[in-house]
Amino acid sequence: MSAYYTKVIPVNPFCRVDAQTARTVQRYLEEHMMAMSVEIEMQEHPAFIDCGGYLEKIACPFCGSELSDWWAEAMDEAAGETGLFASLDAMRLPCCGRYASLKDLCYTAPCGFACTAFILLHPRKQLEGYHLREVERLLGTQVSVIESRI
């Protein structure tokens, strides 16, 4: 049986959330999303927040070329031993020679990078616009939603 997650992350990968605010957002999501659990993941540096089995393609944002093979090596190099990203600087892309950050690549389905992630296991409701606006209000920043299947 596969697990289904909805992940809510700040749009800014380097946005850090204090523990009290994170707990407030967690309680809000627990009360409104009817998930089996709502976990908080917090790191000093951004982690890659993936879409699991929904990932179909990673492409160049400029020419659309497939970058999956290059991406795996670039991720390993950028993350190092910690698996976290101290920087997300632009890199030269092998396809067209232009520069883009790993966060700016075209992920099909959406993925992201974040220091803080709220992870809902098997939510029984979809995050509606008003839920997202409230989470953004509580956090004081814009958020992205990543659907994930493992």
mmCIF file of all heavy atoms in Angstrom, residues 47-73:
data_model
loop_
_atom_site.group_PDB
_atom_site.id
_atom_site.type_symbol
_atom_site.label_atom_id
_atom_site.label_comp_id
_atom_site.label_asym_id
_atom_site.label_seq_id
_atom_site.Cartn_x
_atom_site.Cartn_y
_atom_site.Cartn_z
ATOM 1 N N ALA A 47 16.209 21.398 2.440
ATOM 2 C CA ALA A 47 16.215 20.006 1.989
ATOM 3 C C ALA A 47 15.384 19.946 0.712
ATOM 4 O O ALA A 47 14.549 20.811 0.458
ATOM 5 C CB ALA A 47 15.596 19.104 3.058
ATOM 6 N N PHE A 48 15.608 18.927 -0.087
ATOM 7 C CA PHE A 48 14.790 18.719 -1.280
ATOM 8 C C PHE A 48 13.467 18.102 -0.836
ATOM 9 O O PHE A 48 13.449 17.086 -0.145
ATOM 10 C CB PHE A 48 15.503 17.800 -2.270
ATOM 11 C CG PHE A 48 14.724 17.550 -3.521
ATOM 12 C CD1 PHE A 48 14.379 18.591 -4.369
ATOM 13 C CD2 PHE A 48 14.339 16.269 -3.857
ATOM 14 C CE1 PHE A 48 13.651 18.367 -5.534
ATOM 15 C CE2 PHE A 48 13.618 16.027 -5.022
ATOM 16 C CZ PHE A 48 13.276 17.076 -5.859
ATOM 17 N N ILE A 49 12.374 18.715 -1.222
ATOM 18 C CA ILE A 49 11.036 18.238 -0.880
ATOM 19 C C ILE A 49 10.443 17.678 -2.167
ATOM 20 O O ILE A 49 10.095 18.426 -3.080
ATOM 21 C CB ILE A 49 10.148 19.378 -0.311
ATOM 22 C CG1 ILE A 49 10.881 20.140 0.809
ATOM 23 C CG2 ILE A 49 8.816 18.826 0.157
ATOM 24 C CD1 ILE A 49 11.264 19.310 2.019
ATOM 25 N N ASP A 50 10.358 16.362 -2.226
ATOM 26 C CA ASP A 50 10.016 15.709 -3.488
ATOM 27 C C ASP A 50 8.549 15.307 -3.574
ATOM 28 O O ASP A 50 7.831 15.319 -2.577
ATOM 29 C CB ASP A 50 10.897 14.486 -3.695
ATOM 30 C CG ASP A 50 10.558 13.386 -2.716
ATOM 31 O OD1 ASP A 50 11.007 13.460 -1.549
ATOM 32 O OD2 ASP A 50 9.833 12.461 -3.093
ATOM 33 N N CYS A 51 8.160 14.924 -4.763
ATOM 34 C CA CYS A 51 6.790 14.474 -5.020
ATOM 35 C C CYS A 51 6.719 12.951 -5.124
ATOM 36 O O CYS A 51 5.691 12.398 -5.520
ATOM 37 C CB CYS A 51 6.247 15.132 -6.289
ATOM 38 S SG CYS A 51 7.172 14.685 -7.766
ATOM 39 N N GLY A 52 7.812 12.283 -4.781
ATOM 40 C CA GLY A 52 7.817 10.825 -4.775
ATOM 41 C C GLY A 52 7.520 10.233 -6.145
ATOM 42 O O GLY A 52 8.075 10.651 -7.157
ATOM 43 N N GLY A 53 6.583 9.288 -6.170
ATOM 44 C CA GLY A 53 6.233 8.575 -7.387
ATOM 45 C C GLY A 53 5.545 9.413 -8.445
ATOM 46 O O GLY A 53 5.353 8.952 -9.570
ATOM 47 N N TYR A 54 5.189 10.633 -8.122
ATOM 48 C CA TYR A 54 4.562 11.507 -9.119
ATOM 49 C C TYR A 54 5.581 12.147 -10.060
ATOM 50 O O TYR A 54 5.214 12.703 -11.084
ATOM 51 C CB TYR A 54 3.740 12.611 -8.453
ATOM 52 C CG TYR A 54 2.506 12.127 -7.748
ATOM 53 C CD1 TYR A 54 2.205 12.560 -6.467
ATOM 54 C CD2 TYR A 54 1.623 11.241 -8.359
ATOM 55 C CE1 TYR A 54 1.063 12.129 -5.813
ATOM 56 C CE2 TYR A 54 0.484 10.801 -7.714
ATOM 57 C CZ TYR A 54 0.210 11.246 -6.444
ATOM 58 O OH TYR A 54 -0.915 10.816 -5.801
ATOM 59 N N LEU A 55 6.870 12.092 -9.707
ATOM 60 C CA LEU A 55 7.892 12.729 -10.537
ATOM 61 C C LEU A 55 8.005 12.014 -11.876
ATOM 62 O O LEU A 55 8.278 10.818 -11.940
ATOM 63 C CB LEU A 55 9.248 12.732 -9.829
ATOM 64 C CG LEU A 55 10.364 13.485 -10.543
ATOM 65 C CD1 LEU A 55 10.007 14.957 -10.722
ATOM 66 C CD2 LEU A 55 11.661 13.345 -9.785
ATOM 67 N N GLU A 56 7.765 12.740 -12.935
ATOM 68 C CA GLU A 56 7.839 12.181 -14.284
ATOM 69 C C GLU A 56 9.050 12.676 -15.048
ATOM 70 O O GLU A 56 9.636 11.938 -15.833
ATOM 71 C CB GLU A 56 6.582 12.549 -15.074
ATOM 72 C CG GLU A 56 5.318 11.929 -14.533
ATOM 73 C CD GLU A 56 4.084 12.379 -15.293
ATOM 74 O OE1 GLU A 56 4.229 12.919 -16.413
ATOM 75 O OE2 GLU A 56 2.981 12.192 -14.765
ATOM 76 N N LYS A 57 9.401 13.960 -14.849
ATOM 77 C CA LYS A 57 10.435 14.560 -15.681
ATOM 78 C C LYS A 57 11.050 15.756 -14.961
ATOM 79 O O LYS A 57 10.383 16.445 -14.208
ATOM 80 C CB LYS A 57 9.790 15.019 -16.997
ATOM 81 C CG LYS A 57 10.717 15.636 -17.995
ATOM 82 C CD LYS A 57 9.941 16.034 -19.260
ATOM 83 C CE LYS A 57 10.846 16.749 -20.240
ATOM 84 N NZ LYS A 57 10.134 17.197 -21.426
ATOM 85 N N ILE A 58 12.326 15.979 -15.231
ATOM 86 C CA ILE A 58 13.028 17.177 -14.782
ATOM 87 C C ILE A 58 13.604 17.801 -16.043
ATOM 88 O O ILE A 58 14.361 17.148 -16.775
ATOM 89 C CB ILE A 58 14.137 16.843 -13.770
ATOM 90 C CG1 ILE A 58 13.546 16.106 -12.576
ATOM 91 C CG2 ILE A 58 14.859 18.114 -13.334
ATOM 92 C CD1 ILE A 58 14.548 15.348 -11.761
ATOM 93 N N ALA A 59 13.214 19.043 -16.319
ATOM 94 C CA ALA A 59 13.593 19.663 -17.586
ATOM 95 C C ALA A 59 14.210 21.044 -17.389
ATOM 96 O O ALA A 59 13.994 21.706 -16.377
ATOM 97 C CB ALA A 59 12.368 19.775 -18.489
ATOM 98 N N CYS A 60 14.921 21.470 -18.404
ATOM 99 C CA CYS A 60 15.512 22.807 -18.448
ATOM 100 C C CYS A 60 14.398 23.843 -18.562
ATOM 101 O O CYS A 60 13.490 23.692 -19.382
ATOM 102 C CB CYS A 60 16.439 22.901 -19.664
ATOM 103 S SG CYS A 60 17.094 24.565 -19.946
ATOM 104 N N PRO A 61 14.457 24.920 -17.758
ATOM 105 C CA PRO A 61 13.429 25.956 -17.842
ATOM 106 C C PRO A 61 13.551 26.823 -19.098
ATOM 107 O O PRO A 61 12.637 27.578 -19.413
ATOM 108 C CB PRO A 61 13.660 26.787 -16.583
ATOM 109 C CG PRO A 61 15.095 26.590 -16.259
ATOM 110 C CD PRO A 61 15.428 25.190 -16.704
ATOM 111 N N PHE A 62 14.648 26.681 -19.833
ATOM 112 C CA PHE A 62 14.869 27.501 -21.023
ATOM 113 C C PHE A 62 14.570 26.753 -22.316
ATOM 114 O O PHE A 62 13.819 27.242 -23.155
ATOM 115 C CB PHE A 62 16.309 28.033 -21.048
ATOM 116 C CG PHE A 62 16.672 28.791 -19.804
ATOM 117 C CD1 PHE A 62 17.564 28.261 -18.887
ATOM 118 C CD2 PHE A 62 16.096 30.020 -19.521
ATOM 119 C CE1 PHE A 62 17.892 28.950 -17.732
ATOM 120 C CE2 PHE A 62 16.410 30.718 -18.362
ATOM 121 C CZ PHE A 62 17.308 30.179 -17.471
ATOM 122 N N CYS A 63 15.165 25.566 -22.480
ATOM 123 C CA CYS A 63 15.004 24.847 -23.752
ATOM 124 C C CYS A 63 14.131 23.604 -23.637
ATOM 125 O O CYS A 63 13.787 22.996 -24.645
ATOM 126 C CB CYS A 63 16.362 24.485 -24.342
ATOM 127 S SG CYS A 63 17.267 23.208 -23.438
ATOM 128 N N GLY A 64 13.766 23.217 -22.415
ATOM 129 C CA GLY A 64 12.885 22.065 -22.212
ATOM 130 C C GLY A 64 13.553 20.709 -22.280
ATOM 131 O O GLY A 64 12.895 19.682 -22.172
ATOM 132 N N SER A 65 14.877 20.674 -22.436
ATOM 133 C CA SER A 65 15.590 19.396 -22.513
ATOM 134 C C SER A 65 15.470 18.613 -21.213
ATOM 135 O O SER A 65 15.472 19.196 -20.126
ATOM 136 C CB SER A 65 17.073 19.628 -22.815
ATOM 137 O OG SER A 65 17.241 20.167 -24.089
ATOM 138 N N GLU A 66 15.415 17.307 -21.338
ATOM 139 C CA GLU A 66 15.381 16.394 -20.192
ATOM 140 C C GLU A 66 16.723 16.466 -19.459
ATOM 141 O O GLU A 66 17.779 16.382 -20.089
ATOM 142 C CB GLU A 66 15.109 14.970 -20.676
ATOM 143 C CG GLU A 66 15.225 13.911 -19.625
ATOM 144 C CD GLU A 66 14.071 13.901 -18.644
ATOM 145 O OE1 GLU A 66 12.917 14.108 -19.052
ATOM 146 O OE2 GLU A 66 14.335 13.652 -17.454
ATOM 147 N N LEU A 67 16.678 16.627 -18.126
ATOM 148 C CA LEU A 67 17.901 16.779 -17.334
ATOM 149 C C LEU A 67 18.054 15.751 -16.218
ATOM 150 O O LEU A 67 18.905 15.911 -15.349
ATOM 151 C CB LEU A 67 17.935 18.184 -16.713
ATOM 152 C CG LEU A 67 18.059 19.362 -17.672
ATOM 153 C CD1 LEU A 67 17.956 20.678 -16.907
ATOM 154 C CD2 LEU A 67 19.368 19.291 -18.447
ATOM 155 N N SER A 68 17.268 14.697 -16.231
ATOM 156 C CA SER A 68 17.249 13.757 -15.105
ATOM 157 C C SER A 68 18.617 13.186 -14.765
ATOM 158 O O SER A 68 18.993 13.115 -13.592
ATOM 159 C CB SER A 68 16.253 12.633 -15.357
ATOM 160 O OG SER A 68 14.953 13.159 -15.402
ATOM 161 N N ASP A 69 19.383 12.754 -15.760
ATOM 162 C CA ASP A 69 20.700 12.164 -15.481
ATOM 163 C C ASP A 69 21.648 13.202 -14.886
ATOM 164 O O ASP A 69 22.314 12.952 -13.884
ATOM 165 C CB ASP A 69 21.308 11.564 -16.752
ATOM 166 C CG ASP A 69 20.544 10.337 -17.225
ATOM 167 O OD1 ASP A 69 19.858 9.700 -16.391
ATOM 168 O OD2 ASP A 69 20.631 10.016 -18.418
ATOM 169 N N TRP A 70 21.719 14.376 -15.506
ATOM 170 C CA TRP A 70 22.562 15.455 -15.005
ATOM 171 C C TRP A 70 22.102 15.896 -13.624
ATOM 172 O O TRP A 70 22.906 16.156 -12.730
ATOM 173 C CB TRP A 70 22.519 16.645 -15.984
ATOM 174 C CG TRP A 70 23.178 17.859 -15.438
ATOM 175 C CD1 TRP A 70 24.510 18.167 -15.515
ATOM 176 C CD2 TRP A 70 22.563 18.933 -14.728
ATOM 177 N NE1 TRP A 70 24.752 19.379 -14.881
ATOM 178 C CE2 TRP A 70 23.565 19.866 -14.394
ATOM 179 C CE3 TRP A 70 21.255 19.208 -14.329
ATOM 180 C CZ2 TRP A 70 23.306 21.036 -13.695
ATOM 181 C CZ3 TRP A 70 20.999 20.374 -13.635
ATOM 182 C CH2 TRP A 70 22.015 21.269 -13.330
ATOM 183 N N TRP A 71 20.794 15.987 -13.425
ATOM 184 C CA TRP A 71 20.201 16.452 -12.177
ATOM 185 C C TRP A 71 20.663 15.610 -10.986
ATOM 186 O O TRP A 71 21.002 16.146 -9.930
ATOM 187 C CB TRP A 71 18.673 16.428 -12.291
ATOM 188 C CG TRP A 71 17.942 16.767 -11.048
ATOM 189 C CD1 TRP A 71 17.672 18.015 -10.562
ATOM 190 C CD2 TRP A 71 17.363 15.856 -10.116
ATOM 191 N NE1 TRP A 71 16.957 17.929 -9.387
ATOM 192 C CE2 TRP A 71 16.757 16.612 -9.096
ATOM 193 C CE3 TRP A 71 17.292 14.470 -10.045
ATOM 194 C CZ2 TRP A 71 16.098 16.028 -8.027
ATOM 195 C CZ3 TRP A 71 16.640 13.889 -8.970
ATOM 196 C CH2 TRP A 71 16.047 14.669 -7.977
ATOM 197 N N ALA A 72 20.663 14.291 -11.128
ATOM 198 C CA ALA A 72 21.060 13.410 -10.017
ATOM 199 C C ALA A 72 22.478 13.732 -9.551
ATOM 200 O O ALA A 72 22.735 13.843 -8.346
ATOM 201 C CB ALA A 72 20.939 11.950 -10.426
ATOM 202 N N GLU A 73 23.385 13.912 -10.492
ATOM 203 C CA GLU A 73 24.765 14.248 -10.140
ATOM 204 C C GLU A 73 24.852 15.654 -9.546
ATOM 205 O O GLU A 73 25.573 15.882 -8.572
ATOM 206 C CB GLU A 73 25.658 14.144 -11.367
ATOM 207 C CG GLU A 73 25.871 12.715 -11.836
ATOM 208 C CD GLU A 73 26.739 12.637 -13.086
ATOM 209 O OE1 GLU A 73 27.556 13.564 -13.309
ATOM 210 O OE2 GLU A 73 26.597 11.649 -13.821
#
